[in-house]
Amino acid sequence: MSSTELRHTALDALHRSLGATMTDFAGWDMPLRYGSERDEHVAVRTRAGLFDLSHMGEITVTGAEAAALLNHALVGNIGSVGVGRARYTMICRADGGILDDLIVYRLAEAEYMVVANASNAQVVLDALTERSAGFDAEVRDDRDAYALIAVQGPESPGILKSLTDADLDGLKYYAGLPGTVAGVPALIARTGYTGEDGFELFVKPEHAVQLWQALTEAGEGVGLVPCGLSCRDTLRLEAGMPLYGHELTTSLTPFDAGLGRVVKFEKEGDFVGREALEQAAERAASEPPRVLVGLIAEGRRVPRAGYAVVAGGAVIGEVTSGAPSPTLGKPIAMAYVDAAHAAPGTEGVGVDIRGSHEPYEVVALPFYKRQK
């Protein structure tokens, strides 16, 4: 396989049969949209959407010292995660810079599944492998062992219940349990990235088409639609969720990103980046760095990543993500801005859109929170 050849998920032919617009995403040929990305977005907010997320990177860590390895390699306290539960965490460099944000599932007493972003899966795999030296634990690349299908939106519990006898009501947010869905063995997780309730189904690639079709049929009566990566981005943006390469980078520590809570200094033993992160925590407490805020446009022009945020003629920050918000009906953005301009309601803040300073309202994140 040449380095330029795109990877295809097990659902590739199905996406094409549905008329998907495909795009290169982190080396994978992925569906960007099937029809209108706005319609797909609204479906997830009001009914349900079906996503192929098979590009995500699954890495299995097993062995007597699997927890100790992950506590050393990651910033979170993974040893305290109960079997059947999951945790949001990060892997950092020795200088504290974020290599990736991750979800770690504890599948058994000595078995964990680390799910990395597609663009960083190899980096995370290499770092975990390197950091496993001296630990009685094995790091295994399981990216080809799984397809990943997500069903998201208010109708998703009903759709999934019609296909499984697994205890979905007892499945908490950030948990996972093994079960059978439409006759397919699956790890059923509840760790969505849309701001809605929903489920992720990790299955063998050869079962992906059967499961997708069963979910499509089960959701027909309640308005389930297939959804691409484009609406996934606007959904996570409305929900104020960070995206690696935008809100999170190697030049930022978790404290710079306002996510210092994921760093657990109290856990036993040393971990990669501890010293640098202790210094970052002190800096953040004494002189806050730029703060991640929400911006809502007063006009119609859409801000994009990299655009300057301005106030009083000076640059005070930078947009990290921006898009039209179907839910709010206005363009929105996430941006890092100087602490002096970060309070919700701060006046006189704008975004430099091709030389024109467009007015924006500073708001607290998230832009959207579902009604429980």
Side-chain angles (χ1 to χ4, degrees):
M1 178 171 124
S2 76
S3 59
T4 54
E5 197 175 313
L6 293 179
R7 299 181 69 176
H8 298 272
T9 77
L11 294 162
D12 184 71
L14 196 149
H15 297 317
R16 292 168 195 281
S17 74
L18 292 171
T21 299
M22 306 296 285
T23 189
D24 173 0
F25 185 83
W28 289 82
D29 205 13
M30 298 294 293
L32 186 64
R33 70 182 76 81
Y34 298 84
S36 150
E37 52 206 48
R38 181 192 162 78
D39 290 349
E40 291 170 24
H41 180 111
V42 171
V44 175
R45 285 276 177 259
T46 59
R47 303 185 305 275
L50 195 57
F51 295 85
D52 178 9
L53 305 179
S54 303
H55 60 309
M56 301 295 281
E58 296 87 4
I59 301 161
T60 303
V61 180
T62 56
E65 292 185 317
L69 160 59
L70 290 170
N71 267 357
H72 165 69
L74 311 179
V75 301
N77 187 354
I78 307 305
S80 67
V81 178
V83 174
R85 297 306 303 265
R87 185 154 297 166
Y88 176 78
T89 187
M90 294 184 186
I91 183 167
C92 289
R93 303 192 304 195
D95 68 1
I98 303 165
L99 282 173
D100 201 13
D101 61 335
L102 311 164
I103 296 178
V104 180
Y105 297 89
R106 188 170 194 168
L107 303 181
E109 193 58 38
E111 182 181 4
Y112 295 81
M113 181 168 68
V114 177
V115 181
N117 285 297
S119 55
N120 294 327
Q122 190 64 48
V123 169
V124 174
L125 177 67
D126 291 345
L128 286 174
T129 303
E130 187 183 313
R131 295 174 189 187
S132 68
F135 288 93
D136 179 11
E138 183 199 351
V139 176
R140 188 174 73 235
D141 180 0
D142 269 349
R143 282 177 287 180
D144 293 335
Y146 292 102
L148 177 56
I149 295 173
V151 54
Q152 294 277 304
E155 297 288 353
S156 58
I159 293 168
L160 201 55
K161 277 179 188 174
S162 72
L163 297 173
T164 184
D165 55 8
D167 178 17
L168 298 185
D169 291 335
L171 184 66
K172 296 184 174 73
Y173 189 48
Y174 268 77
L177 87 166
T180 302
V181 182
V184 170
L187 171 67
I188 306 168
R190 203 171 201 164
T191 50
Y193 188 59
T194 61
E196 298 301 332
D197 192 10
F199 303 88
E200 295 75 47
L201 306 168
F202 294 87
V203 299
K204 288 182 174 172
E206 58 264 32
H207 294 149
V209 171
Q210 177 187 335
L211 180 58
W212 179 281
Q213 288 173 334
L215 287 162
T216 298
E217 286 166 27
E220 263 170 1
V222 291
L224 173 91
V225 300
C227 292
L229 292 179
S230 187
C231 83
R232 185 170 158 82
D233 191 49
T234 51
L235 289 160
R236 70 93 197 165
L237 176 54
E238 287 185 351
M241 294 174 168
L243 175 64
Y244 196 88
H246 290 256
E247 289 72 41
L248 309 173
T249 68
T250 50
S251 63
L252 296 170
T253 72
F255 294 94
D256 297 325
L259 291 165
R261 64 180 181 276
V262 306
V263 182
K264 303 300 182 189
F265 294 119
E266 70 276 13
K267 64 179 173 177
E268 280 181 35
D270 197 15
F271 62 92
V272 177
R274 176 192 273 273
E275 195 177 326
L277 289 170
E278 283 172 342
Q279 292 168 3
E282 284 175 27
R283 277 198 310 274
S286 61
E287 46 164 328
R290 284 184 166 176
V291 179
L292 188 65
V293 300
L295 298 173
I296 299 179
E298 292 178 21
R300 310 302 308 166
R301 298 185 74 184
V302 178
R304 298 296 181 191
Y307 285 12
V309 182
V310 293
V315 173
I316 57 149
E318 185 176 303
V319 171
T320 52
S321 297
S325 165
T327 305
L328 276 64
K330 297 177 179 179
I332 59 172
M334 286 202 274
Y336 283 109
V337 302
D338 295 344
H341 295 86
T346 300
E347 306 223 328
V349 172
V351 174
D352 186 339
I353 300 182
R354 298 189 186 87
S356 169
H357 291 187
E358 300 289 327
Y360 274 74
E361 179 190 356
V362 179
V363 298
L365 293 168
F367 298 97
Y368 166 85
K369 228 177 187 162
R370 73 183 169 97
Q371 303 302 308
K372 298 288 184 203

